Amino acid sequence: MPVEHKTVAATGNNMVAEAMRQCAPDVVAAYPITPQTTIVEEFARYVAQGKVRTEYVTTESEHSAMSACIGASAAGARVMTATCGPGLAMMWEMLYIASGMRLPIVMLNTNRALSAPINIHCDHSDVMGARDAGWILLFAETAQEAYDNTIMSIRVAEDPDVLLPVMSCLDGFITTHSIDRAQTMDDESVGAFVGDYTPQNALLDADNPVSHGNFAGLGGPYFEFKRSQRIAMDRSKSVIERVGAEFAELSGRPFGLIETDMMDDAEVAIVVIGSSAGNVRHVAKQMRAEGVKAGLVKVRCFRPFPAAELAAALSGMKAVAVLDRSESFGAEGGPLFMETRSALYDLERRVPVVNYIYGLGGSDVRLDLIRSVYTDLSDIAAGGEVPAGLHYLGAR
Amino acid sequence: MQQLTEIRWHARAGQGAVTAAKLVAETALAADQFMQAMPEYGPERMGAPIKAFTRISPEPIDIHCNIEHPNVVIVLDDSLLDVVNVTEGLVDDGAVIVNTCTPPDAVKRALGLAEGVTVACVDASGIAVDTIKRDIPNTPMVGALAKVTGAVSLDSVKSLLVSTFGKKFGQDIIDANLASVDRAYEEVTVA
């Protein structure tokens, strides 16, 4: 049967809640937090209306929410949840347990800044703090990509070659609360794509008894467990690409670990994650009309990190700017900058890379700010000096 | 139609600006346009000044920032004219639509607007009280928007009201809203 596409006016959170319903998780355990709240509100309504057969567990904190997800997933259930910012921070301990127990939990994260000062708006401090927790990390630019990533995440997480939790991120308020034009697919097509879940090593499989998360102290296999997580994470790269290609065939929307735009003849490029990629694309088109060979690389998957793909895309550039929506205080730069520059280290020809911290706490990513980055890059490309240090884009 | 129309809504929390921004976006979608509608989230006390945004374009919209140079500014409460710089960044040939009993030439003078700017005024609150029986000026202002800018058509606004309100409200409320849109469309005056 052909896929039925329906064009809708929907927020990112509407799209995610719809995708969750279509993925039909057995268990969702969650605690509401702005700007994630409308996802779990809407999903809870679907449960109450009988539109999805999910055991919905309301918990008293995010630590408990992730704990319940871990228990349910270890038992053998398909499990999803959602959180953001301080909620993700409160899950900290449990994030590592989910990945260490190799549980294919899918979590939506509506990127929100961390306090103090208190801020409910978008940046990537929350997820970047969790970048070493052993979760696969996907990012959406739009409500559409948030929907698509949610569905793909189930397949990636549950792939027997992967069995890792996936965090699917969308920008708080900018993507979660803006109404955008997007397309949903029919329930049957999504259901067939994600398939039925066959749990591996389920605690409730009494014929094949197993235990999870055992003591593995000194002399135990802890070290080897960590290596197995590394192997699974590395292996997940080709699985994500394969699932992305299959999804593209279904949806008509291409997916890549990175997405390149106007890079064929580009001389200067901006590397960016999330909703700001759209702003960069818009300005890059304007710059091209003015004779600047501007390009854009959008990173849709941060873990596993697409180092080889970035090196290939950026190898010929005269200057590259990496935009980070999170801080790594005291480091050489933001996390995307550090990993991108490291990915370029082995290239024959050295590519100048500059770092900009931008948009912390939802600070507006104005088009003139993006333009100023391309102008800086053009100066470097024309032989100007590469400015040292990182730059706070638009900070007053 | 121009490539991208950017609308900024100024209102007090509770007047339905976010709903109106959505209504316009959904109307644009029904006409197979691309669109965005987003509130600017801040302190959400009833009566506090708030902003909302709508973008409409025949092409996919890439940008996700606030609207700084709107083509159209819609003011749902004329007491904001003294409080907020509602025309900040307005393009030279833009339009300002105000819910007020003051005539448009007086509003234009008071705001010190350039010759090329269109100022349109309509007593949307009065119309809302007459028709909907409550001072919720958002739907009549969409009627005024249709008349002044053509960014959305009157017919498409009305058919969308029927389809979206039809799910939640009875026929009397739908009829009252349709009447409010028609009256604002007829009664808006331009300088």
Side-chain angles (χ1 to χ4, degrees):
Chain A
M1 260 220 344
V3 183
E4 266 181 59
H5 298 281
K6 189 175 158 199
T7 302
V8 294
T11 65
N13 280 359
N14 292 149
M15 292 298 284
V16 162
E18 174 71 355
M20 284 175 69
R21 182 189 65 73
Q22 294 182 314
C23 291
D26 300 304
V27 175
V28 167
Y31 187 85
I33 177 170
T34 303
Q36 159 264 36
T37 305
T38 47
I39 296 175
V40 291
E41 263 177 12
E42 217 163 301
F43 187 81
R45 194 178 307 124
Y46 290 144
V47 175
Q49 291 169 339
K51 290 181 178 170
V52 62
R53 289 167 56 88
T54 299
E55 183 71 31
Y56 186 91
V57 186
T58 54
T59 58
E60 81 284 10
S61 78
E62 286 86 358
H63 189 280
S64 305
M66 185 47 65
S67 299
C69 287
I70 288 167
S73 184
R78 174 178 285 171
V79 179
M80 300 180 85
T81 186
T83 193
C84 70
L88 181 64
M90 198 179 185
M91 286 181 179
W92 202 251
E93 179 190 11
M94 309 316 293
L95 292 179
Y96 285 77
I97 294 175
S99 59
M101 283 168 57
R102 306 290 299 276
L103 301 174
I105 297 165
V106 171
M107 174 158 65
L108 280 303
N109 185 58
T110 60
N111 302 121
R112 166 178 161 172
L114 295 172
S115 305
I118 291 179
N119 187 295
I120 60 170
H121 290 276
C122 174
D123 68 35
H124 300 156
S125 309
D126 53 0
V127 55
M128 285 303 168
R131 70 185 189 270
D132 296 332
W135 286 59
I136 290 167
L137 305 179
L138 302 180
F139 286 85
E141 175 190 332
T142 57
Q144 183 70 69
E145 288 186 1
Y147 174 83
D148 295 351
N149 286 358
T150 305
I151 294 165
M152 281 185 274
S153 293
I154 294 282
R155 279 281 302 277
V156 170
E158 294 174 0
D159 190 290
D161 283 341
V162 178
L163 294 177
L164 288 173
V166 178
M167 202 184 308
S168 178
C169 300
L170 57 159
D171 283 349
F173 288 109
I174 303 163
T175 311
T176 61
H177 283 63
S178 294
I179 295 177
D180 207 345
R181 174 172 165 153
Q183 282 191 327
T184 57
M185 296 185 289
D186 62 283
D187 289 359
E188 286 71 27
S189 297
V190 175
F193 180 80
V194 297
D196 291 331
Y197 177 43
T198 310
Q200 316 278 321
N201 309 314
L203 287 177
L204 291 185
D205 180 1
D207 295 334
N208 300 288
V210 292
S211 58
H212 281 237
N214 297 334
F215 183 70
L218 209 54
Y222 183 89
F223 195 35
E224 290 71 23
F225 259 85
K226 294 300 126 181
R227 183 180 56 190
S228 81
Q229 282 176 250
R230 152 61 74 171
I231 292 167
M233 183 64 88
D234 288 346
R235 218 163 34 201
S236 74
K237 201 163 155 180
S238 60
V239 174
I240 297 167
E241 285 182 312
R242 194 185 73 228
V243 171
E246 263 183 63
F247 187 82
E249 208 159 294
L250 191 72
S251 65
R253 293 182 289 273
F255 171 87
L257 301 167
I258 63 169
E259 287 176 13
T260 56
D261 224 319
M262 295 166 273
M263 289 297 288
D264 286 347
D265 64 341
E267 293 178 350
V268 296
I270 291 179
V271 182
V272 66
I273 286 177
S275 61
S276 301
N279 300 13
V280 174
R281 188 180 306 109
H282 184 85
V283 175
K285 285 178 189 165
Q286 290 178 338
M287 301 301 288
R288 283 199 162 247
E290 296 166 24
V292 177
K293 289 191 171 165
L296 153 70
V297 177
K298 176 171 81 176
V299 176
R300 269 183 86 167
C301 174
F302 189 83
R303 282 286 181 270
F305 192 72
E309 290 76 7
L310 279 167
L314 299 171
S315 64
M317 294 301 112
K318 291 183 176 171
V320 169
V322 178
L323 307 191
D324 270 287
R325 202 162 194 160
S326 61
E327 250 293 13
S328 183
F329 302 110
E332 282 285 293
L336 181 60
F337 167 75
M338 288 193 289
E339 302 213 17
T340 301
R341 195 164 67 161
S342 173
L344 303 182
Y345 184 81
D346 290 328
L347 289 176
E348 288 291 324
R349 195 188 134 271
R350 193 166 152 272
V351 177
V353 190
V354 283
N355 190 202
Y356 298 81
I357 305 288
Y358 77 101
L360 299 186
S363 168
D364 196 27
V365 187
R366 302 192 318 261
L367 301 179
D368 63 298
L369 297 176
I370 304 296
R371 172 173 285 267
S372 76
V373 174
Y374 274 124
T375 305
D376 291 352
L377 291 179
S378 295
D379 290 347
I380 297 168
E385 211 166 295
V386 181
L390 55 79
H391 313 278
Y392 262 63
L393 194 59
R396 293 186 295 265
Chain B
M1 188 178 174
Q2 66 192 113
Q3 194 65 11
L4 172 68
T5 303
E6 297 191 302
I7 303 170
R8 188 172 66 211
W9 303 77
H10 290 274
R12 293 190 181 276
Q15 289 185 308
V18 176
T19 306
K22 285 182 191 173
L23 176 66
V24 171
E26 286 174 359
T27 307
L29 178 68
D32 201 26
Q33 301 271 302
F34 290 83
M35 80 306 156
Q36 290 176 353
M38 59 274 189
E40 183 182 73
Y41 279 89
E44 292 168 327
R45 323 175 294 277
M46 285 290 274
I50 61 132
K51 284 187 265 187
F53 307 94
T54 307
R55 286 191 174 97
I56 303 172
S57 171
E59 302 289 328
I61 302 168
D62 280 327
I63 44 182
H64 303 291
C65 45
N66 288 343
I67 291 174
E68 286 190 283
H69 298 290
N71 307 97
V72 183
V73 166
I74 301 177
V75 184
L76 265 65
D77 188 318
D78 64 359
S79 72
L80 289 170
L81 297 176
D82 302 326
V83 182
V84 178
N85 182 7
V86 296
T87 57
E88 186 178 12
L90 180 70
V91 299
D92 294 340
D93 59 349
V96 182
I97 309 172
V98 187
N99 169 23
T100 184
C101 297
T102 310
D105 49 347
V107 171
K108 191 167 186 173
R109 268 197 311 278
L111 291 173
L113 290 170
E115 197 52 41
V117 175
T118 302
V119 176
C121 295
V122 62
D123 179 17
S125 287
I127 293 171
V129 170
D130 276 355
T131 52
I132 309 166
K133 309 297 177 199
R134 279 176 69 190
D135 182 5
I136 305 177
N138 58 355
T139 31
M141 288 302 277
V142 177
L145 172 73
K147 177 71 165 285
V148 175
T149 70
V152 288
S153 78
L154 181 66
D155 287 345
S156 58
V157 171
K158 288 166 69 177
S159 62
L160 196 86
L161 272 176
V162 170
S163 62
T164 54
F165 280 33
K167 293 174 198 155
K168 285 194 235 166
F169 302 113
Q171 194 60 41
D172 50 336
I173 292 181
I174 296 169
D175 288 344
N177 277 279
L178 292 175
S180 79
V181 172
D182 274 331
R183 272 193 55 189
Y185 188 88
E186 292 306 323
E187 292 175 22
V188 64
T189 55
V190 175

